[in-house]
Amino acid sequence: MSEWWTYTLSDFLMFSPRTYWRLVELYNRDFWPLHLPLLAAGLAALWLTATRRTHAFRWVAFGLSAIWLWVGWAFLWERYATINWAAQYVALAFAVQAVLLAGMGLMRKHTAASPGPAALGLGGLLAVAGLLYPLWGLAAGRPWEQAETFGMAPEPTAPLTLGLLLLSGRPASRTGRALLFPIPLLCLLLGAATAWTFVN
């Protein structure tokens, strides 16, 4: 029996990259053209956040809450969990994130403080990365049918959410906002770990 330190991430992957991308392709086919209004919603959320209008963050939070709930159910729970048992726990984390976002949207006090230069730069970069995420798949040689888009898949949804949170300044309180960051960050780490196993 091999020692535990000889294992790599790929040893724990219970499916092949081909199986995963086929699952994404079938998922996209089942729900096309829902991708287009969801991408439009992502652009609208970015615009609302950038304009810093009264109650803008409230509506962005509600919209993101619905999207996190949708991705958690439609992709993670209904599809990804059929090839990866751990996805059901990630789906539950997505539901928790949806509740946190909705709770933040319901809070009455939302300050309109502008983000600092670092938050502005990083937030803008993450938001754009989330919207343009499908292009990474094309650059890797995958067809459009296997594209992962905001509002449909976890990996592009997480960076756009983080970007919007950073660009929104300080809604409600720093403590309240801090609760919204761990799950999207964990999502990005899990996605990066899975992508790493696909190429190694």
Side-chain angles (χ1 to χ4, degrees):
M1 181 175 176
S2 300
E3 300 295 344
W4 64 268
W5 58 81
T6 65
Y7 287 95
T8 63
L9 282 175
S10 59
D11 293 318
F12 298 97
L13 200 66
M14 296 165 284
F15 52 89
S16 68
R18 181 177 179 179
T19 299
Y20 177 80
W21 293 117
R22 177 61 176 164
L23 181 144
V24 172
E25 183 177 342
L26 293 174
Y27 171 62
N28 284 338
R29 185 189 66 186
D30 289 346
F31 289 106
W32 177 261
L34 183 58
H35 307 66
L36 301 179
L38 285 171
L39 281 172
L43 286 169
L46 183 56
W47 177 79
L48 275 173
T49 303
T51 58
R52 314 194 62 74
R53 297 186 178 187
T54 305
H55 303 303
F57 178 77
R58 185 184 306 276
W59 296 112
V60 170
F62 288 148
L64 287 174
S65 174
I67 285 171
W68 276 76
L69 199 59
W70 164 255
V71 174
W73 175 77
F75 181 75
L76 292 168
W77 186 271
E78 288 290 309
R79 287 164 178 81
Y80 196 20
T82 62
I83 63 171
N84 182 359
W85 62 268
Q88 60 188 327
Y89 298 105
V90 182
L92 292 175
F94 268 58
V96 170
Q97 181 71 11
V99 170
L100 290 173
L101 285 163
M104 188 63 68
L106 288 171
M107 295 184 73
R108 291 184 179 181
K109 183 181 178 183
H110 291 280
T111 61
S114 298
L120 190 64
L122 181 58
L125 182 63
L126 286 169
V128 171
L131 290 170
L132 298 182
Y133 195 90
L135 299 181
W136 300 116
L138 292 177
R142 292 193 302 275
W144 271 111
E145 292 83 358
Q146 296 177 355
E148 295 175 294
T149 59
F150 169 75
M152 293 296 294
E155 283 75 16
T157 301
L160 181 53
T161 299
L162 289 170
L164 292 174
L165 291 173
L166 287 169
L167 292 172
S168 66
R170 295 187 293 277
S173 69
R174 290 176 185 262
T175 303
R177 188 180 66 155
L179 293 174
L180 300 174
F181 282 85
I183 292 174
L185 287 170
L186 179 61
C187 174
L188 288 180
L189 289 174
L190 290 174
T194 303
W196 176 263
T197 62
F198 284 173
V199 298
N200 288 279

